[in-house]
Amino acid sequence: MSAYPLLFTPLTVAHLTLPNRILMGSMHTGLEEHPDGAARLARFYAERAAGGAALIVTGGVAPNDTGRVLAGAATLSSRAALAGHRPVTDAVHGAGGRIALQILHAGRYAMQPDNVSPSGLSSPITPFASRALTDADIRQTIADFIRCACLAQEAGYDGVEVMGSEGYLINQFLAPATNRRDDAWGGDSTRRMRFAIEIVHGIRAAVGENFVIIYRLSMLDLIEGGSSPDEVVMLAQAIEAAGASILNTGIGWHEARIPTIATCVPRAAFSWVTGRLRGQVGIPLVATNRINMPATAEAILARGDADMVSMARPFLADARLVAKAAQGEADRINTCIACNQACLDHIFSGRLASCLVNPRACHEAEFEALAAPAWQPGAPVIAGPGNTATATGQPALATGPDPMPVTNRQTAPRRVAVVGAGPAGLACATEAAARGLKVTLFEAGASIGGQFLLACQVPGKEEFAETLRYFRGRLAETGVDVRLNTSARAADLLAGNFSAVVLATGVKPRHPEIPGIGHAMVCDYADLLTGRVQPGRRVAVIGAGGIGFDVAGFLSESSHPGERPASSPAVSPTPPALAAFLQEWGISTADTRGGLAPPQATVGQREIFLLQRKPGKPGAGLGKTTGWIHRTALRHRGVQTIGGVIYQRIDDAGLHTLVDGAPRLFAVDQIVVCAGQESEHRLAAPLAALGAHLHVIGGARLASEVDARRAIEEGIRVGLTLPA
Ligand code: NAP
Ligand code: SF4
């Protein structure tokens, strides 16, 4: 009996019988425009198809040049482009999967000068002026959508998804905020809907019945002047009548200032929106947003909110998540923690998407090529000491197989010591052990996790606990010998006869040289987040980087830190937790246009000052797609963020500073230092001196931007390339 009986009940969509209820949602990876994109996308999607995704939706492809999100972005507007798609559809079908092409016209969200929209109203999130489409342009655009769908069919796709949400062109026609026309395409809701309906109707007429049409319908715009719930129902019914096979859910326009997919959004926080449409249409409904584990998906189906769920980023984190769920091994899923750090943040900075917890994503062939042969009894092995410390004594990351000659054969696998069980050490130890090496993992603390142990104490970052659960399982299944509460010493490591030592000892908090820094009211962020120190009522936070913002968030929680339950993400939010999230961000469950309500954060009793030396507003360096959420959340909670601060001294009166040149005393009873980190690599020099074959990775190698994405990637690279 499956743990997820509803999830693994087949679903009929148009002519297809899907084996389960999990759709892999659309994600732009950057491979769409890459020179080797077709082959790499083929491999990427085929792995997800083999891993059990019932139906995959590609990243958005424009139906014509004006619809491109960026100049140079992928279009499918002529048969010449088919060659770039056939490898993808063939590979997915070869792996037993199904795949639909998403057709996306960016409209006024296009980051290019050729920017069009219903009424020529420029978007607040793009720098380009928008031109209003003429009646002839609109008819041509509909024809372009239809042509694109026909080409997709010719390329072997099982269907298309018509992107009608997130504020892209179709959505711009639907909402009064962006459609001010008074002709056949605007004026009242019937005319605003016409563009969407004619696209779906035209596609169905052109492709016949044996082709899936998914329509991604914006069920909650989260903007002023968005659609009303009644209009959403009317549109859904009209789209069904026009020939759509299934309705996918869209939540929030890109310009909305409400988080919809970040880690602070409770799991399945928006499935109720999809649920409002149940019974109003006859075709299946797909719920989306912050669904990352099978138990959450099953709960959505059990509540009756949807017939299917969409997961997108979770397939970056683990290509085999569906297969693992089907086999009753959900505990082995590498869970998407919704950080956006290596997927969306990469895309928005012009890089290929990947995944913080799974750097192989979109780089499958590269990692495969990197891997040194696994250990096999009697196989030739590489011997001899190596040392990757540089001439300056600074530790360097060793990558690639060690360039040493094959000198002997051995019958036992090589023994490797990994010191430090944070993300870098965990990734390295499990990767090396999976290749057959005998790995001993030393950890000075009582648990594995390093900086992740701290992160999962931060409200809204509970998902980080999932990564530790995943690594605990990997340590057990790969047979890593884990020594907790063990501070490894250089001499012991040498005496242990390890063929290589990997230092993954992480970072230690930086202690700035401020007179009085040793005062009893001063602590560092680790003391606070672990509960060793209970916070005061008036708190100054020194340092406004990612950790300073996290600490201010922790302090501003209405419940007292230390009284919070042990962190682990809830399968579904409790009704009070969901209500608190919706209230804090101003999301209305009532019949309001756009789904907005006045935000009402629950403000705690504590007075908090978040300080930095740089002039200007703190938070400028936070993640591209999440920084605004942190800044807004602290503003909601009344945290005072102040830049241009010079710290003068600390005494019983508090923190004495100059702010923009004027003296200011922060009369606080607690000061939390979040002033960055320094590498903890004190073992590197003695080990190098003793001739150990040494690799230094993660924060121990480079503290300046201590970054879990880099740490995990470095760990995997070294774990893959250590000689077996
Ligand atoms: P950080 O981002 O480098 O910030 C350090 C802060 O300390 C800055 O505000 C810096 O600003 C201040 N500072 C540096 N030296 C100082 C000194 N000597 N005296 C007083 N203040 C000093 O480092 P972090 O906050 O520790 O975060 C580390 C990394 O963790 C980030 O790079 C990120 O990768 C990751 N992270 C990100 C997030 C997120 O984006 N939400 C959350 C947590 C962690 P001034 O020099 O202007 O004072
Ligand atoms: Fe999920 Fe973060 Fe990976 Fe993106 S980078 S897929 S949000 S875990």
Side-chain angles (χ1 to χ4, degrees), residues 337-383:
I337 57 175
C339 63
N340 286 358
Q341 224 170 298
C343 50
L344 286 172
D345 284 354
H346 273 201
I347 288 295
F348 282 98
S349 50
R351 302 168 65 188
L352 287 183
S354 188
C355 175
L356 180 144
V357 299
N358 176 25
R360 284 184 171 87
C362 299
H363 298 270
E364 285 80 8
E366 181 192 334
F367 277 86
E368 191 175 71
L370 192 66
W375 176 79
Q376 286 170 359
V381 295
I382 297 164

Side-chain angles (χ1 to χ4, degrees), residues 7 23 124 161 163 218 295 325 339 351 373 446 455 462 468 474 484 555 578 658 722:
L7 209 49
L23 176 137
E161 177 171 83
M163 181 36 146
S218 185
C339 63
R351 302 168 65 188
E462 293 83 1
L468 298 183
R474 287 289 290 160
L484 297 176
L555 289 165
L578 180 60
L658 294 176
L722 285 168

Side-chain angles (χ1 to χ4, degrees), residues 341 461 510 512-514 525 542-550 611-614 622-623 626 630 647 674-677 704-708:
Q341 224 170 298
K461 285 199 163 175
R510 178 186 289 129
E513 290 179 10
I514 302 169
Y525 62 85
I542 292 183
I547 291 176
F549 266 80
D550 278 353
L611 312 174
Q612 71 175 24
R613 298 172 303 177
K614 283 185 284 295
L622 298 178
T626 50
H630 294 292
Y647 309 113
C674 305
Q677 357 274 329
S704 58
E705 33 170 271
V706 54
D707 171 350

